[in-house]
Amino acid sequence: MRITKKFIVAGAGVVTLVAGGGAAVAATTVAAPAPKVTAEQAIEIAHKQVAGAWVSELDLDSRDTGADVWEIELTKGAQRHELTIDAATGKVAKNETEQQSDKDDDDRDDRDDRDDRDDD
């Protein structure tokens, strides 16, 4: 009878440890809270910076060190704008403009010409 009591006590201890460990793992895998600035708000902020542009890319960058940011790429005419917007405050952290090169257009024309030749 003493042996049976020892097994019951030991089994209860193992169950307690496993349950406690499971709770600890569950607590560490809780999803991060949603950003205060939504994607729609980030796009509105970007359009205020670059009026008349269209959004070609939008990503939420969850950084390990520092605040989460929205990374938005806008295109207006021959210019590409890359903006970084703080997902907590809505402040523009970075606004870079890059001129799209004519070389990109020439490369597309060359590919189109090759495609035409392949059809012959």
Side-chain angles (χ1 to χ4, degrees):
M1 183 124 171
R2 285 184 175 191
I3 295 175
T4 305
K5 286 182 182 178
K6 287 181 182 178
F7 282 124
I8 291 172
V9 170
V14 168
V15 169
T16 303
L17 287 174
V18 170
V25 169
T28 60
T29 58
V30 173
K36 291 181 182 178
V37 175
T38 65
E40 291 82 13
Q41 291 169 328
I43 290 170
E44 287 176 18
I45 294 166
H47 278 141
K48 287 179 184 175
Q49 295 288 314
V50 186
W54 59 275
V55 177
S56 55
E57 191 173 322
L58 172 70
D59 293 312
L60 177 63
D61 186 5
S62 299
R63 300 181 175 182
D64 294 333
T65 59
D68 295 347
V69 294
W70 287 104
E71 294 179 344
I72 302 177
E73 186 175 295
L74 300 156
T75 303
K76 182 177 182 182
Q79 293 183 335
R80 188 175 73 212
H81 303 266
E82 294 179 17
L83 282 81
T84 302
I85 299 171
D86 188 301
T89 64
K91 291 184 179 180
V92 177
K94 179 180 91 171
N95 184 351
E96 294 180 355
T97 303
E98 181 179 297
Q99 190 73 21
Q100 291 181 346
S101 69
D102 291 334
K103 182 178 183 307
D104 293 339
D105 293 335
D106 292 342
D107 289 343
R108 275 190 229 113
D109 290 341
D110 291 343
R111 283 188 297 251
D112 290 343
D113 291 342
R114 278 181 276 172
D115 290 342
D116 291 342
R117 280 184 266 138
D118 292 338
D119 291 339
D120 293 334

